[in-house]
Amino acid sequence: MDPPRSVARDVLRAVRERDAYANLVLPALLRERGLSGRDAALATELAYGACRTLGLLDAVIAEGAGRPIEEIDGPLLDVLRLGVYQLLRTRIGAHAAVDTSVALARAEFGTGKAGFVNAVLRRAGEKTTEQWVEALAPADPVGRLAFEYAHPVWIAQAFADALGARAGELGDVLAADDARPLVHLVARPGDITAEELALVTGGEEGRWSPYAVYLDGGDPGKLEPVREGMAAVQDEGSQLVALALTRAALDGPDDGRWLDLCAGPGGKAALLGALAAIDGFRVDAVEPAAHRAELVRKAVHDLPVDVHVADGRASGLNPGYDRILVDAPCTGLGALRRRPEARWRRTPADVRELVVLQRELLTAAWDLLRPGGVVLYSTCSPHLPETVSIVADAVRRLGAEQLDARELLPGVTDVGDGPGAQLWPHRHGTDAMFLAALRKPR
């Protein structure tokens, strides 16, 4: 058996059968089977890549098999997806891609089904990726780009809507979403600088956050600064959201009562806690799920952060906070590049439920905010119903004063026309984070 391809196949199977998360399953399998170096890199590329490009792969498989994918046995479909991904999206030779896939099928299912895999893959290899796109993609521009870059059409349309007058960048957004992202580290303020972290890890200092470092690959968990809690994995866009909260102008003094109302799994709470510690401030962090609250505790274990297991809509906390972060649960459309299977799980129906929750959390935060204080609302999604619509509703209902969030991102260019700010992977190299700052009138 081919160990890297066996691991990738098993990741696809776990995602399909158990709705597992590839980025959780894969590291465990690599450790369990002792894969490292080039073998681990190949398994990672095949597993994540096939998860990302599922829509394109399934269309080609259906064409090659002459039947809908629903009529193909699931375990066989995993092998086919793995083979077609190698044929269309990697530099692996066609002979190797077909032979290794046929071997996987033969070992598990016998000669008959191995012959079926062989036939489908040879059909798939008769055309290049570009030729398959030409043959199978919808005619409309958004649908064609969605197919080419392996996104559901509704997500591509949501990105186009958010880009507005610059919807011509849709292909660039989808391409950035479809590429392997860099690993972003955050240097904990007060413990290590980004310059020091870059030197220790061999990384590169970030463009936008003073605490960001970029890594091209490898396992960040093996890095000494990460093991010792001086650094952590955190997208640079998330760092900018936490920093923006601390930079917003209050009406009146900052008495150092800060709140992260949607804290799990704890990355932003940890950065806020490190910044609060410098000034002798404290942070409350709220997370309703006990297991995620435990993740927050681990992330902030030596920082001035108090973790509360509670629903942010009814936290029971005393009002009077100076600064509140509402990093609301969302569709996560802005972080699809880091969650390879997520794009195929989300549906438009998810948005309706989340919008209600987002509105309720923002209202609860408003009630906990002191007059003159600031709520920073953010989502890792650019989808308009989750971003500008939620904020416009809050301004109307609550009488909030919306600040210009672009001013809270000094040096960061091209974040929109204001007053909210939108980060994009193709412009900034970050997740597509949205943020808006609302101040409570005195």
Side-chain angles (χ1 to χ4, degrees):
M1 295 298 291
D2 184 307
R5 290 175 175 85
S6 297
V7 165
R9 186 244 357 241
D10 291 346
V11 171
L12 295 182
R13 185 168 298 179
V15 169
R16 177 183 53 79
E17 290 183 346
R18 310 198 309 267
D19 280 342
Y21 295 100
N23 64 339
L24 298 181
V25 173
L26 177 64
L29 283 176
L30 294 177
R31 287 193 300 271
E32 176 187 313
R33 301 185 190 178
L35 267 64
S36 60
R38 296 179 64 179
D39 282 349
L42 176 59
T44 300
E45 165 62 20
L46 297 182
Y48 287 176
C51 285
R52 276 198 306 270
T53 54
L54 214 58
L56 171 65
L57 302 180
D58 285 355
V60 173
I61 290 167
E63 189 72 12
R67 68 183 77 166
I69 60 162
E70 291 78 15
E71 296 180 10
I72 300 174
D73 290 343
L76 209 58
L77 185 59
D78 299 328
V79 175
L80 288 168
R81 286 167 171 169
L82 192 58
V84 174
Y85 179 77
Q86 292 174 77
L87 287 169
L88 300 186
R89 286 297 190 97
T90 74
R91 296 180 181 177
I92 294 169
H95 182 75
V98 174
D99 280 6
T100 54
S101 300
V102 170
L104 280 175
R106 184 182 295 114
E108 188 169 3
F109 310 113
T111 304
K113 291 186 177 180
F116 173 70
V117 168
N118 182 62
V120 173
L121 293 184
R122 294 198 180 281
R123 284 285 311 276
E126 290 173 358
K127 291 184 175 69
T128 65
T129 305
E130 293 73 20
Q131 289 170 332
W132 278 119
V133 170
E134 201 63 42
L136 301 178
D140 68 286
V142 173
R144 181 186 175 85
L145 286 171
F147 185 85
E148 180 178 356
Y149 294 108
H151 283 68
V153 174
W154 78 272
I155 293 179
Q157 187 61 59
F159 288 172
D161 293 343
L163 287 165
R166 294 174 63 174
E169 297 177 14
L170 178 60
D172 295 332
V173 178
L174 297 177
D177 232 12
D178 207 26
R180 179 176 66 89
L182 295 174
V183 174
H184 291 183
L185 298 180
V186 58
R188 178 179 283 187
D191 284 349
I192 192 172
T193 67
E195 180 182 14
E196 292 166 341
L197 182 60
L199 286 171
V200 171
T201 60
E204 177 188 351
E205 289 185 63
R207 294 167 65 195
W208 314 114
S209 164
Y211 307 109
V213 169
Y214 307 152
L215 297 180
D216 192 34
D219 181 358
K222 294 180 178 178
L223 299 172
E224 186 176 351
V226 175
R227 291 202 313 268
E228 294 185 359
M230 294 189 294
V233 176
Q234 185 176 45
D235 183 79
E236 191 173 19
S238 294
Q239 298 175 40
L240 292 173
V241 166
L243 290 169
L245 176 68
T246 69
R247 293 166 176 163
L250 306 179
D251 187 353
D254 190 341
D255 293 322
R257 279 196 77 201
W258 298 358
L259 171 63
D260 183 349
L261 196 61
C262 311
K268 296 182 184 71
L271 181 51
L272 288 173
L275 293 168
I278 294 171
D279 292 317
F281 295 165
R282 292 201 70 83
V283 179
D284 284 307
V286 173
E287 167 55 46
H291 70 283
R292 282 172 62 85
E294 190 56 35
L295 294 177
V296 180
R297 287 193 184 95
K298 290 178 181 177
V300 304
H301 71 279
D302 58 348
L303 295 169
V305 179
D306 300 307
V307 180
H308 307 266
V309 181
D311 188 324
R313 294 169 292 183
S315 64
L317 296 172
N318 293 322
Y321 287 94
D322 300 286
R323 302 179 189 274
I324 301 178
L325 175 62
V326 180
D327 183 40
C330 67
T331 54
L333 301 189
L336 295 178
R337 62 197 187 130
R338 300 194 186 278
R339 297 166 187 153
E341 72 289 321
R343 68 189 68 180
W344 307 110
R345 288 182 176 169
R346 284 298 188 191
T347 70
D350 297 329
V351 179
R352 290 190 290 273
E353 296 177 9
L354 286 165
V355 162
V356 173
L357 176 60
Q358 290 156 359
R359 186 181 297 120
E360 291 172 347
L361 286 166
L362 189 49
T363 301
W366 193 253
D367 292 339
L368 293 169
L369 190 68
R370 71 159 174 84
V374 170
V375 167
L376 192 107
Y377 175 80
S378 69
T379 59
C380 56
S381 169
H383 198 15
L384 296 178
E386 302 182 83
T387 57
V388 294
S389 296
I390 291 289
V391 174
D393 173 72
V395 169
R396 177 185 57 81
R397 286 188 301 110
L398 307 173
E401 174 191 358
Q402 187 168 3
L403 308 179
D404 191 336
R406 296 172 299 176
E407 297 176 0
L408 309 179
L409 303 173
V412 185
T413 57
D414 214 6
V415 292
D417 299 327
Q422 179 66 60
L423 300 167
W424 289 101
H426 69 297
R427 293 182 196 167
H428 307 101
T430 67
D431 292 343
M433 302 293 301
F434 169 84
L435 56 152
L438 304 176
R439 187 163 60 197
K440 195 171 197 174
R442 289 178 85 73

